[in-house]
Every structure is written in C-alpha cells, then in structure tokens.
C-alpha cells in the first residue's frame, strides 16, 4: 500500500512539474529552455503510470485523487497560497476515494 501511494505521489509531482514549467515560460516570462525539463517530466509521468500492477482505468481514476491532493500542497508550497479548510477537506475526500478504488478487496 505504501509503495502504491509513493508511486502515485512521485507521478503527481512529475505531472505538475511538467505542466508548471511551461506555465512559467508562457505566463511569467521564463526561458524557453524550461520546455526541455517539462517534456522530460511529462515523459517520466507517463512512464510512472505504467508501473502500477492493476488495470489502467482503475489506476488513472485513483491517481486523480492523489493528483488533486498534491496540487493543493503545490499551491501552498510553490505558489505560497494557503489552502482553505475546504481545499483540504476536498483533498482528503479525494484521497479517501483513491483508497477505496485501489485497496478495496477484489476477487482473485
């Protein structure tokens, strides 16, 4: 269970970095060189999604809950915008949904 959650966290960070760097380039007058690590980060994101041992649709659905949570913390740590209690509650609900999807007992 911890391995799955850690893999989801790393995957979410790779996706967010891959999207944040082009944002810096387009909106914050960053260097076009930011696109190279952005592309590498998005490629890493796609590869990481293939490492999960369950059906891809289930992985993508559950990953969404972790992504939402990581995005809320990114908002706090990188953008310096403190999340509201509603942001945190929403993230907690998303994590609960991820846990139900990924860790529910299933017939063999």
């Amino acid at each position: 269970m911890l391995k799955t959650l850690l893999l989801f966290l790393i995957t979410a960070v790779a996706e967010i970095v891959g999207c944040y760097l082009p944002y810096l380039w387009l909106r914050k007058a960053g260097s076009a060189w930011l696109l190279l690590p952005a592309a590498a980060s998005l490629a890493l994101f796609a590869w990481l999604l293939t490492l999960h041992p369950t059906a891809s649709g289930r992985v993508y659905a559950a990953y969404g809950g972790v992504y939402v949570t990581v995005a809320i913390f990114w908002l706090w740590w990188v953008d310096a915008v403190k999340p509201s209690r509603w942001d945190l509650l929403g993230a907690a609900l998303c994590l609960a949904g991820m846990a139900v999807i990924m860790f529910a007992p299933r017939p063999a």
Side-chain angles (χ1 to χ4, degrees):
M1 188 160 66
L2 185 58
K3 179 182 174 185
T4 298
L5 187 56
L6 184 61
L7 189 54
F8 274 147
L9 287 172
I10 294 167
T11 303
V13 170
E15 183 179 10
I16 290 172
V17 168
C19 296
Y20 186 72
L21 294 177
Y23 165 79
L24 290 178
W25 170 59
L26 290 169
R27 298 288 190 139
K28 304 289 183 176
S31 168
W33 288 104
L34 291 170
L35 298 177
L36 292 175
S41 188
L42 288 174
L44 175 64
F45 153 72
W47 175 72
L48 288 167
L49 282 177
T50 69
L51 299 180
H52 293 275
T54 189
S56 63
R58 184 172 294 132
V59 168
Y60 299 154
Y63 164 71
V66 175
Y67 177 84
V68 167
T69 303
V70 171
I72 293 295
F73 282 97
W74 183 275
L75 174 74
W76 195 354
W77 296 330
V78 175
D79 293 331
V81 177
K82 186 177 180 188
S84 71
R85 67 177 181 219
W86 299 109
D87 294 330
L88 297 174
L89 176 62
L93 290 170
C94 288
L95 285 179
M98 179 278 300
V100 169
I101 292 168
M102 287 304 293
F103 305 123
R106 292 193 171 67

